[in-house]
Amino acid sequence: MATKSNSTKTSSSKKGKMNLKDIPFSKERLIELFRQMLLGRRFEEKCGQQYQMKKFSGFCHLYIGQEAVAVGSIAALEIGKDYVFTTYRDHVHALILGISAKEVMAELFMKRTGSSHGKGGSMHFYNGKTRFMGGNGIVGGHTPLATGAAFASKYRGDGAVALCYMGDAAVNQGTFHESLNMAGLWGLPIVYIVENNIYGMGTSTERSCAQPELWKRTGDAYNIPGRQVNGMDMLEVYEATRQAVEDARNGQPVFLEMLCYRYRGHSMSDPATTYRTKDEVGQWRMKDPIERLKEQFPTVFTESMVKDMEEEIKQEVADSIKFAEDSELPELSDIWTDVCVDYPGYPGREASDNKYEFPYEQLENAKK
Amino acid sequence: MAILTMREALNQALFEEMERDERVFLMGEEVALYHGAYKVSMGLLEKFGEKRVVDSPITENSFVGLGVGAANVGLRPIIEVMTFNFSILALDQIINNAAKLRYMSGGQFECPIVIRGPNGAGGALAAQHSQALEAQYVHCPGLKVVMPSTPGDAKGLLKAAIRDPDPVIFMESEKLYNYKGEVPEEEDYILPIGKAEVKHSGSDVTIVTYGRMYTHAILPALERLEGEEGLSVEVIDMRTLAPLDLDTVLESVAKTNRMVLVEESWPKASVGAWISEQVYRYGFDLLDAPIERVSHLDVPMPYAANLEAEIIPGPESVVDAVRKVCYL
């Protein structure tokens, strides 16, 4: 256990050509994962555009630039058995975990056909079938939930692992430390992944963390090995997560720091001009995870192949917008469903629809 | 009927439900080896083992959150908070997660968790350990809030809470753990959540209350009211505060036309304020006098016992309030 707990900084990332024989899955699977990244990218671009066209509102956090992290790590899971919890930057996780582009877009457009029937929105996607547990709006607020799923897995002995993503700002929340303490103490089957895109909104890790090398923060403190991963390289993300998931299934929780970058601002209202430089954004764009995968396998991702896939995805995203536009808004009666399983006529509900009716006849009789 | 203390009744409920359902586990500070700070979990570790009776680190927000997560994926956690004063640390997990997942997910997930422990003053514990916090939870939709006053109710309602598919805030009282009362001996004694009970029938005035005010303030006041004052008093124990059983209250007020509300918590934006508003709104024509409310004085709790006794509602203030609504 002592050696396992040692935190490590890995740098097995390879730029340039790779051989299909060197990767742990088939060519078809590689193409599928590439497609997930490309769909994520194009979906989010269109999503930002639709937001600017005021097709929907609310908070909207785009994932552009970080696609390798979600795609590479979820690829290492047993979908439907393992649990996934993430933050409010969750559209792409949702797409990978079986929510169709149509259902994601319809939810953003506040429609009843959306995956949460218009009650969740951008920050709250869920899929019971694939055990995708959201879509959580409070920084660090879901780390205890994921730890609870891991606890349940150990309790039942069903071999499931919980994967808990968070942003770099979450590591300064109390819940992060409290959760890791329990996971380390009880040997829970969980992998915590911090998507370190350097900024919590506009505050950099350098300006918010006493130890900005996040992978160093968990080994000795919680007996949870921390490993740093190049989050711009899908294959490296996959391999690091595969190893971590294996460790977690054997009762050793792991903390992975994925170094990545969001090209856009924190949310749609953030132009990201005051806290970082154009030059910095340009430097990271040079490491683009989609371009990188193309460069690694030029014979697979040929120009014509990628062009065809782009066309197909363009259509898929366009169809999702059409579907979202054509769908109905929620019914006003939906306001009252799914508060509690048997939500009764709380007397308070008459404030908006006057549904509570007291049996006045009974009163009259009582008076007599 | 068996005569049990509240502690024994709660312990029986935990024991029976853990025996009935493998998915039920108990977690909290000192619940296992120590048998609970108030010994409610006596014998559970020995019977069910450390897998199902789990001592947690002092980490309220996250062990409550762990329970919420475990409930979301199919277990039936009972999370003990040593007192509800410490649940303030877990408000994020209770209000942002437990109360909202069913709604936010469009009904895909549920949260069958019970968060339980003592609420209200314990006696000379000063300001941070003496708070009655039920209004915080009643305020938030998506939670059910239960606050029993007798051992029998405590057993039947805790069993119901554990089986309920929604998050239930189950508030006990340190002052009631040794209180004895009748507990039905039937095999699976269970009471419905959301139903108030007329604990004492009468026709001149309605006293609405819940939790330990029933035993500590109202029962002693009743002797005087019915003896010296010759009044016929109806006492309603709400038992569940969310959802609220307003029908039972209004039916009683229709008969007595006078109402007194007695609660342990502070008066501002309280459960008593909420019930009064509802009675004024739906029962305005039924009232022959303004509703009187008896609450904790609007101050933090001091340590000194003579001050504490003055601040928490007792029989005297109940008698005064009843006399007032009866214009005596």
Side-chain angles (χ1 to χ4, degrees):
Chain A
M1 191 63 85
T3 50
K4 268 193 155 185
S5 290
N6 286 341
S7 298
T8 49
K9 185 169 183 170
T10 62
S11 57
S12 65
S13 118
K14 295 187 194 89
K15 208 172 175 188
K17 272 195 193 176
M18 287 179 70
N19 199 317
L20 276 173
K21 278 184 287 187
D22 296 336
I23 60 169
F25 38 66
S26 67
K27 181 181 162 190
E28 290 68 33
R29 178 72 170 141
L30 180 68
I31 293 170
E32 190 188 334
L33 297 178
F34 177 80
R35 191 183 190 286
Q36 287 180 358
M37 288 170 70
L38 198 61
L39 173 65
R41 174 73 56 93
R42 301 295 173 240
F43 184 91
E44 291 288 70
E45 286 170 351
K46 209 70 184 167
C47 185
Q49 182 210 63
Q50 296 293 302
Y51 189 93
Q52 278 163 342
M53 291 164 69
K54 301 197 188 308
K55 295 283 191 70
F56 64 96
S57 55
F59 292 151
C60 180
H61 312 86
L62 302 179
Y63 199 63
I64 298 170
Q66 298 178 218
E67 297 88 350
V69 177
V71 171
S73 52
I74 292 171
L77 297 180
E78 286 186 45
I79 306 291
K81 174 179 174 180
D82 296 329
Y83 300 101
V84 178
F85 294 74
T86 191
T87 69
Y88 41 76
R89 201 176 298 286
D90 61 344
H91 305 172
V92 176
H93 299 73
L95 290 169
I96 300 166
L97 286 163
I99 309 182
S100 69
K102 286 179 178 176
E103 288 171 298
V104 176
M105 198 63 88
E107 183 64 27
L108 293 172
F109 277 45
M110 310 173 183
K111 299 301 177 71
R112 209 179 194 203
T113 52
S115 56
S116 294
H117 314 310
K119 283 178 172 173
S122 171
M123 298 186 281
H124 305 295
F125 286 99
Y126 301 86
N127 189 352
K129 287 182 200 135
T130 56
R131 297 191 166 179
F132 177 41
M133 312 297 297
N136 290 278
I138 308 294
V139 171
H142 62 287
T143 47
L145 302 181
T147 309
F151 178 89
S153 166
K154 187 179 182 193
Y155 186 94
R156 289 190 285 236
D158 60 15
V161 164
L163 197 57
C164 179
Y165 298 90
M166 68 195 85
D168 42 86
V171 304
N172 294 323
Q173 284 279 36
T175 46
F176 170 79
H177 297 276
E178 295 178 0
S179 296
L180 266 75
N181 181 53
M182 289 190 285
L185 177 67
W186 295 327
L188 300 182
I190 186 162
V191 178
Y192 299 98
I193 293 182
V194 57
E195 301 196 46
N196 184 358
N197 63 20
I198 310 178
Y199 299 95
M201 283 190 76
T203 305
S204 67
T205 48
E206 292 285 344
R207 295 176 60 231
S208 60
C209 298
Q211 172 50 275
E213 290 203 65
L214 307 182
W215 60 280
K216 291 180 177 172
R217 293 175 61 151
T218 64
D220 288 343
Y222 303 117
N223 201 22
I224 294 181
R227 299 168 193 162
Q228 196 181 57
V229 182
N230 177 4
M232 303 301 269
D233 184 307
M234 193 276 285
L235 291 170
E236 193 177 322
V237 169
Y238 171 82
E239 181 49 30
T241 314
R242 189 198 59 73
Q243 181 60 51
V245 167
E246 192 181 311
D247 292 347
R249 273 195 229 286
N250 292 320
Q252 174 60 61
V254 179
F255 176 71
L256 299 177
E257 179 193 11
M258 307 261 180
L259 297 175
C260 56
Y261 203 76
R262 59 168 155 76
Y263 296 171
R264 302 288 182 91
H266 165 71
S267 68
M268 289 303 295
S269 60
D270 170 25
T273 50
T274 57
Y275 56 86
R276 63 185 198 184
T277 62
K278 274 186 184 165
D279 184 51
E280 182 184 291
V281 180
Q283 291 293 320
W284 278 93
R285 279 183 181 274
M286 301 278 284
K287 304 177 195 170
D288 187 84
I290 294 174
E291 292 306 315
R292 188 185 186 92
L293 201 55
K294 282 190 208 166
E295 285 163 22
Q296 285 165 333
F297 301 96
T299 55
V300 179
F301 302 112
T302 60
E303 206 174 310
S304 70
M305 184 273 192
V306 174
K307 190 166 168 264
D308 289 349
M309 193 184 278
E310 289 272 18
E311 278 305 313
E312 193 186 292
I313 285 173
K314 195 176 170 189
Q315 192 57 49
E316 186 176 342
V317 178
D319 288 349
S320 76
I321 294 171
K322 174 91 169 59
F323 175 79
E325 282 173 336
D326 292 348
S327 293
E328 299 292 329
L329 289 166
E331 300 284 334
L332 292 184
S333 60
D334 292 346
I335 288 172
W336 300 104
T337 57
D338 295 323
V339 179
C340 286
V341 69
D342 49 353
Y343 198 57
Y346 273 80
R349 63 191 283 184
E350 92 293 338
S352 48
D353 69 358
N354 217 15
K355 273 188 180 155
Y356 178 73
E357 283 176 25
F358 186 72
Y360 278 97
E361 262 178 49
Q362 225 169 304
L363 282 189
E364 291 304 316
N365 293 337
K367 275 191 218 173
K368 284 169 203 163
Chain B
M1 292 270 193
I3 302 294
L4 301 178
T5 62
M6 181 82 106
R7 175 182 291 109
E8 290 164 338
L10 291 164
N11 181 268
Q12 274 192 359
L14 294 172
F15 195 95
E16 288 175 19
E17 291 305 298
M18 289 185 74
E19 195 156 55
R20 184 187 62 80
D21 188 346
E22 265 303 303
R23 299 170 301 171
V24 178
F25 70 94
L26 175 68
M27 179 183 281
E29 293 154 5
E30 309 292 355
V31 297
L33 274 180
Y34 199 93
H35 294 141
Y38 297 99
K39 308 296 175 198
V40 173
S41 49
M42 185 69 80
L44 294 178
L45 173 68
E46 292 72 11
K47 166 73 180 176
F48 299 104
E50 58 187 17
K51 177 185 151 188
R52 297 182 66 197
V53 185
V54 187
D55 277 329
S56 70
I58 299 181
T59 300
E60 282 88 1
N61 199 18
S62 292
F63 73 70
V64 170
L66 182 150
V68 173
N72 295 157
V73 304
L75 294 188
R76 297 263 166 174
I78 304 164
I79 303 295
E80 177 173 309
V81 285
M82 197 180 285
T83 89
F84 267 94
N85 297 287
F86 310 153
S87 78
I88 296 171
L89 287 153
L91 272 180
D92 173 49
Q93 292 302 317
I94 299 172
I95 289 180
N96 278 319
N97 291 336
K100 294 187 174 56
L101 187 68
R102 182 189 286 281
Y103 203 73
M104 292 197 302
S105 69
Q108 292 187 68
F109 294 100
E110 58 185 24
C111 188
I113 188 175
V114 175
I115 299 164
R116 52 155 287 274
N119 179 47
L125 301 179
Q128 294 176 337
H129 285 73
S130 304
Q131 305 168 93
L133 295 169
E134 61 274 15
Q136 316 241 10
Y137 299 106
V138 171
H139 186 59
C140 177
L143 299 175
K144 294 173 179 171
V145 182
V146 174
M147 209 162 151
S149 67
T150 66
D153 287 357
K155 181 177 179 183
L157 286 166
L158 182 54
K159 283 167 69 78
I162 294 167
R163 296 182 198 188
D164 198 278
D166 288 307
V168 179
I169 306 296
F170 193 91
M171 298 179 132
E172 301 156 13
S173 164
E174 189 182 330
K175 288 280 198 187
L176 283 175
Y177 284 133
N178 285 328
Y179 182 81
K180 285 184 180 165
E182 291 181 338
V183 179
E185 287 176 282
E186 62 194 72
E187 202 175 301
D188 199 17
Y189 179 64
I190 195 154
L191 286 169
I193 288 176
K195 286 300 286 180
E197 187 186 44
V198 178
K199 283 268 195 288
H200 192 87
S201 285
S203 54
D204 293 334
V205 58
T206 300
I207 298 178
V208 174
T209 193
Y210 56 88
R212 78 156 173 129
M213 286 296 101
Y214 172 64
T215 50
H216 282 67
I218 292 163
L219 286 182
L222 265 187
E223 287 174 28
R224 275 187 51 193
L225 290 168
E226 302 206 310
E228 292 166 30
E229 308 286 347
L231 290 167
S232 168
V233 181
E234 181 138 302
V235 181
I236 296 175
D237 179 359
M238 295 310 296
R239 302 199 294 198
T240 300
L241 307 180
L244 196 68
D245 179 6
L246 190 61
D247 290 4
T248 299
V249 175
L250 285 172
E251 277 161 30
S252 175
V253 176
K255 187 168 61 174
T256 63
N257 312 115
R258 293 160 207 281
M259 178 170 139
V260 170
L261 250 155
V262 184
E263 63 186 342
E264 186 180 337
S265 68
W266 296 300
K268 300 194 302 284
S270 71
V271 174
W274 161 240
I275 297 173
S276 312
E277 187 273 342
Q278 292 286 288
V279 172
Y280 277 128
R281 185 191 291 242
Y282 294 106
F284 189 76
D285 294 343
L286 307 174
L287 290 165
D288 286 347
I291 294 168
E292 271 300 309
R293 285 176 53 208
V294 182
S295 313
H296 193 287
L297 298 185
D298 197 18
V299 292
M301 184 68 83
Y303 166 62
N306 66 319
L307 302 183
E308 178 168 334
E310 186 66 18
I311 285 167
I312 299 175
E316 289 297 323
S317 38
V318 175
V319 169
D320 289 348
V322 168
R323 286 174 53 89
K324 202 167 172 188
V325 296
C326 293
Y327 298 119
L328 292 172

